[in-house]
Amino acid sequence: MISQKEFISESFPKMGFRHRILRRMYEYASRIKLAIMPFPFVDERVQHVEDFVFLMIFNKKTFIYAKATLYSFLKNSKDIPKLIVLVSDGTWNIDEGEQFFSSFSNYNIRCESFQNSIDFFKNKGEVSLTQWAEKHIWGKKYAAITRYAENSLVLFSDPDVLWYSSPFSSDDFLQQEMLKLSIDNSHNYDKNLLEKLDLNILFDEIPINCGVVCMRGDVRMFHQISGVYDALDYEAEFAGSFAEQTIFAIEYLKYKNVWTENEISASISDMLQPYFKMNHYPLGFIARHYLFVLKWIYWKDFLMKI
């Protein structure tokens, strides 16, 4: 299987017009759409507030992506979160977040610092996790997800995901222990970590993506899975690329629970699709993760399909 990096490297020279011109054009039109469209209210005829947290962590440069992603979820999901948590990676303060996302004031929404999760795990004695989270965004992301999963079902979304329907089944809200992930387009892991722990078995499994994570349970339960504590110790010292995705992939070996590629897609195979093509997704499609140079398609889909 060709890797994501290799495919992008081969295709990127052909991406110039799409990446530089069309992305800006579709994004600008989408900004206008976000500015003039009424923000969604809970439609009690078809939507229900359920006991889960919708969580995102992002930097200030991706504010507009986070707004579009959140808009798509609240507009298209039949299940509405009891709480929305937007976590700063350290590049924006709480006042900035509250002002930018004030359009969602009809919902129970909270902006907070990544430091809240670090302090939480310091108090629990999770030394390696807190050291990793203090030095790298992947650690901050993992800490935020696992912190909220301790007390509630949490649905995490990267800010380059668009939502087309609810990801939940009715049984999900009854689970006390759960980990569900999406499938990546290739194996994108911290290879040095896997070699260190002799866990190259992950390359024989389906590739895991953690742009969308559904999780619930005590963090110690997940960390007791073979290899996880060792992985946290390693990342606390070396903080490699795709680290949080690698650790979620290790935890996947216990649960083996994923959305299919026809439900949540991380495909990049259509990055050179025709400029103005209208995308059509399969029946039951839930979300798409628009990785890397797919941002021009992210904004095109937001403009035309959300």
Side-chain angles (χ1 to χ4, degrees), residues 238-279:
F238 298 106
S241 59
F242 297 109
E244 92 292 13
Q245 189 154 283
T246 309
I247 293 176
F248 277 124
I250 296 171
E251 295 169 349
Y252 157 81
L253 293 174
K254 175 180 177 181
Y255 297 94
K256 297 287 185 85
N257 192 10
V258 294
W259 289 280
T260 69
E261 292 173 285
N262 284 332
E263 292 175 318
I264 296 182
S265 173
S267 174
I268 58 173
S269 61
D270 61 348
M271 61 192 291
L272 293 173
Q273 66 176 242
Y275 298 156
F276 303 108
K277 175 189 175 185
M278 171 74 81
N279 286 320

Side-chain angles (χ1 to χ4, degrees), residues 53-275:
V53 174
F54 186 89
L55 174 70
M56 288 196 289
I57 182 170
F58 48 89
N59 62 44
K60 189 173 181 178
K61 291 181 179 179
T62 56
F63 262 24
I64 192 64
Y65 284 90
K67 178 178 278 191
T69 292
L70 182 55
Y71 180 96
S72 72
F73 185 83
L74 295 174
K75 181 174 184 289
N76 292 329
S77 175
K78 66 179 176 59
D79 301 305
I80 301 300
K82 68 173 184 180
L83 176 64
I84 299 165
V85 180
L86 308 179
V87 181
S88 169
D89 70 340
T91 58
W92 52 278
N93 61 48
I94 305 308
D95 289 341
E96 288 176 306
E98 290 177 345
Q99 180 176 356
F100 189 84
F101 294 97
S102 60
S103 305
F104 298 101
S105 59
N106 293 309
Y107 297 88
N108 185 16
I109 188 167
R110 175 194 303 163
C111 295
E112 67 175 43
S113 168
F114 72 89
Q115 190 64 44
N116 293 28
S117 296
I118 290 178
D119 293 342
F120 178 84
F121 284 114
K122 276 184 178 178
N123 292 333
K124 291 179 71 72
E126 291 278 349
V127 177
S128 293
L129 174 53
T130 57
Q131 290 177 346
W132 175 34
E134 284 172 337
K135 68 172 64 172
H136 204 283
I137 180 58
W138 307 137
K140 294 176 175 66
K141 173 179 171 179
Y142 183 84
I145 295 171
T146 52
R147 170 194 165 198
Y148 275 96
E150 288 230 322
N151 297 308
S152 180
L153 181 67
V154 59
L155 177 65
F156 172 84
S157 175
D158 270 343
D160 54 356
V161 172
L162 289 179
W163 293 88
Y164 296 92
S165 62
S166 172
F168 298 110
S169 69
S170 57
D171 290 342
D172 291 340
F173 302 111
L174 304 176
Q175 302 299 320
Q176 296 303 308
E177 177 182 350
M178 181 179 181
L179 177 63
K180 191 170 187 178
L181 301 155
S182 54
I183 299 174
D184 210 342
N185 52 70
S186 60
H187 295 92
N188 297 293
Y189 300 139
D190 184 344
K191 294 180 180 179
N192 293 329
L193 169 61
L194 295 185
E195 290 178 5
K196 175 75 173 178
L197 300 185
D198 193 23
L199 278 172
N200 286 316
I201 186 178
L202 285 179
F203 292 107
D204 297 325
E205 300 282 343
I206 60 172
I208 293 301
N209 182 279
C210 64
V212 176
V213 179
C214 190
M215 191 176 196
R216 184 169 190 173
D218 191 300
V219 69
R220 290 167 294 188
M221 177 176 59
F222 294 101
H223 290 178
Q224 287 169 0
I225 296 171
S226 178
V228 174
Y229 270 123
D230 290 335
L232 290 169
D233 290 343
Y234 179 91
E235 297 300 339
E237 184 173 358
F238 298 106
S241 59
F242 297 109
E244 92 292 13
Q245 189 154 283
T246 309
I247 293 176
F248 277 124
I250 296 171
E251 295 169 349
Y252 157 81
L253 293 174
K254 175 180 177 181
Y255 297 94
K256 297 287 185 85
N257 192 10
V258 294
W259 289 280
T260 69
E261 292 173 285
N262 284 332
E263 292 175 318
I264 296 182
S265 173
S267 174
I268 58 173
S269 61
D270 61 348
M271 61 192 291
L272 293 173
Q273 66 176 242
Y275 298 156

